[in-house]
Amino acid sequence: MSKLVIRGVSKEFPARRGGGATRALEPTDLTVQDNDFITILGPSGCGKSTLLRVVAGLETPTAGEVLLNGHPVTRPGPDRGMVFQSYTLFPWLSVRDNVCFGLRERGVPRAEQVAIADRFLAQVGLKGFENHHPAQLSGGMQQRTALARALANDPDILLLDEPFGALDHQTREVMQELLLGIWEQHRKTVLFVTHDIDEAIFMASRVVVMSARPGRIKCDIPIDLPHPRSYRIKTTAAFADYKERLTEEIRVETLKTLQMEA
Amino acid sequence: MNGFFAPLKPVPPGLRAALAVACFVLFFVGWGIATYGGFVKPLFLASPGTTLASGYELFAKFGFTADIGVTVARVFAGFALAVLVAVPLGILMGAFKPVEAFFSGFTSFARYLPASAFIPLLILWAGVGELQKVLVIFIGSVFQLVIMIAVIVGAVRTDLVEAAYTLGASRRGVVLRVLLPAAAPQVFEALRLVLGWAWTYVIVAELVGASQGIGHMIIEAQRFLDTGQMIFGIFIIGLIGLITDVAFQAMNARLFPWVRGR
């Protein structure tokens, strides 16, 4: 059975004063298999984040439905862990308590919470920072904590909305490797939104390209690169081929977006 | 950039304290010159020495300590009552938009009703006893507090709320474990601010129909044209205000160490 089914999902934002309704997302279909790592690649403003937010249950689609393990999604829930582009750690909680947050909401005993949190914090390389507060951490460390926080809930699927978008290039590449390493180990199903082509290819088992607004799925490209992947794969010929193709696909859409704005 | 007057450039803490003290010193020097230099008649403005002597007399002969105690008790009773009503109501308004829609028009209107204008009515309703004084402070503070707290709670970052939902928090969990802790530091700042205003209302309340309190003492002193006592009374209010303010700030810094990020 497919893990996640997106069926005919579209989203229209209601008209604001002096303007018409904004069509953010054309009816979209996407099927995600268990253990898939899908990156959704598209120019900014194409509705890729909207699609992810619909899956998360944070937006209600105008039409269509999302099924997770056969059950329709109606609201956000811990079965879909999410990491946002903005830093969303709770600033009043320590790093450890941030990771414990979801477990605590579920009523997991404290000792077990701490054991789980510390295990995931170690996995994202934050051992020794358990008692720090978010403000004391760098951006990369905050996003690693957010990843640990989402993973601690043991979600069915991980939704990542440009989680490394605010990080500098070097940190970003290290974070990609870290996430990929975690995926290779746990084989969580992942839906990862990005506008970075390298990032999309490097981590994905499938890259889904979205068109300019109103967004629709333009093409769906399986990435047939061997695992485990290291950063060195980015300089191989196979990687370059994927990159060339995707660059063309995205470039057309970006130009369309620019024309629309002009 | 170098130099003292580069915009937003901090000053060293030692210099900061010295500058603050210098302002007080300058104030007293100016006052001294105006009075001892014979530029202002003693009938209108007592000299610093006379004021201090009046102050000593007030404590030694007229039981001023009791007046201070009564006024402080009134302020804290009225303010506590306002906090008791305003904090829960403000949180409900900030968190739940229908509650806000219901109350916000009325509170915005009520906020502009001057507390001092209620004094004749309150005397009619509650007599000239303690209840009337407490109610003046309550009316003066409660609406301001409600509005400020509603705004603070309503301005909590929505991405924190969304993150909590994706971690499995219920609505109740979001209010109790996201909105409340996120808003708490600013709510306490609002309390500090409004407590300062409560002090102006208590004096107004005590100018009319009181037999004790700092305001009552000031009115009595006016009868005997004792500017020394009047000024001393005003100073005492300022001094108590300064002490509560510093105490409040210290308490906030202790309660919410994460705000400054250390």
Side-chain angles (χ1 to χ4, degrees), chain A residues 53 56 58 76-78 80-82 84 86-92 101-102 104-105 133 135-136 149-150 153, chain B residues 157 159-170 173-174 177-179 181-183 257-262:
Chain A
R53 288 173 60 82
L58 295 169
R80 284 147 291 142
M82 183 138 174
F84 299 80
S86 59
Y87 301 131
T88 58
L89 295 184
F90 305 115
W92 56 91
F101 189 90
R104 197 186 149 196
E105 291 295 310
H133 273 78
Q136 296 168 294
R149 184 174 70 172
N153 257 348
Chain B
R157 287 168 50 195
D159 55 356
L160 291 186
V161 173
E162 289 183 341
Y165 277 130
T166 63
L167 290 166
S170 61
V174 164
R177 285 180 290 279
V178 179
L179 294 186
W258 53 270
V259 173
R260 290 223 150 252
R262 277 183 305 164

Side-chain angles (χ1 to χ4, degrees), chain A residues 101-127:
Chain A
F101 189 90
L103 302 167
R104 197 186 149 196
E105 291 295 310
R106 253 195 288 152
V108 174
R110 177 69 185 168
E112 203 179 319
Q113 287 177 29
V114 172
I116 295 172
D118 287 2
R119 197 173 74 231
F120 282 104
L121 281 171
Q123 199 153 63
V124 297
L126 285 176
K127 209 181 172 87

Side-chain angles (χ1 to χ4, degrees), chain A residues 14-245:
Chain A
R16 293 219 195 108
R17 208 151 52 105
T22 312
R23 198 157 180 77
L25 198 61
E26 290 284 323
T28 300
D29 296 289
L30 183 67
T31 303
V32 181
Q33 303 300 331
D34 210 5
N35 306 335
D36 256 353
F37 194 131
I38 296 195
T39 50
I40 303 178
L41 182 66
S44 48
C46 74
K48 55 190 190 298
S49 288
T50 305
L51 181 63
L52 199 73
R53 288 173 60 82
V54 168
V55 175
L58 295 169
E59 303 277 2
T60 318
T62 309
E65 61 174 352
V66 176
L67 300 173
L68 180 66
N69 295 324
H71 300 290
V73 163
T74 52
R75 62 169 102 160
D79 51 347
R80 284 147 291 142
M82 183 138 174
V83 180
F84 299 80
Q85 180 179 8
S86 59
Y87 301 131
T88 58
L89 295 184
F90 305 115
W92 56 91
L93 294 179
S94 68
V95 165
R96 178 186 282 133
D97 285 334
N98 261 286
V99 180
C100 287
F101 189 90
L103 302 167
R104 197 186 149 196
E105 291 295 310
R106 253 195 288 152
V108 174
R110 177 69 185 168
E112 203 179 319
Q113 287 177 29
V114 172
I116 295 172
D118 287 2
R119 197 173 74 231
F120 282 104
L121 281 171
Q123 199 153 63
V124 297
L126 285 176
K127 209 181 172 87
F129 290 92
E130 292 89 348
N131 295 316
H132 282 56
H133 273 78
Q136 296 168 294
L137 302 183
S138 70
M141 290 159 95
Q142 291 197 42
Q143 290 306 69
R144 275 188 275 164
T145 309
L147 186 62
R149 184 174 70 172
L151 286 168
N153 257 348
D154 193 22
D156 287 330
I157 186 167
L158 209 47
L159 307 174
L160 305 165
D161 188 6
E162 302 197 41
F164 311 143
L167 305 178
D168 66 79
H169 192 74
Q170 280 71 26
T171 310
R172 200 175 167 134
E173 298 210 307
V174 176
M175 295 287 289
Q176 292 164 4
E177 283 178 74
L178 179 97
L179 176 62
L180 193 61
I182 289 172
W183 179 79
E184 281 165 352
Q185 193 186 337
H186 294 276
R187 294 278 162 168
K188 281 260 171 240
T189 312
V190 178
L191 212 51
F192 188 112
V193 161
T194 181
H195 59 248
D196 184 311
I197 297 172
D198 282 34
E199 184 168 270
I201 304 167
F202 179 60
M203 293 185 294
S205 48
R206 268 166 68 196
V207 178
V208 170
V209 180
M210 285 186 67
S211 71
R213 171 171 289 207
R216 63 186 167 72
I217 291 177
K218 193 183 173 195
C219 56
D220 190 335
I221 301 168
I223 302 295
D224 199 12
L225 296 171
H227 283 281
R229 295 177 191 167
S230 87
Y231 65 95
R232 289 194 194 86
I233 208 166
K234 290 184 180 176
T235 48
T236 61
F239 193 94
D241 286 343
Y242 283 120
K243 187 169 178 177
E244 191 184 350
R245 169 148 185 225

Side-chain angles (χ1 to χ4, degrees), chain B residues 239-258:
Chain B
L239 196 64
I240 298 171
L242 187 68
I243 292 169
T244 45
D245 206 79
V246 168
F248 231 116
Q249 277 186 33
M251 182 181 77
N252 289 0
R254 269 189 84 97
L255 281 178
F256 312 111
W258 53 270

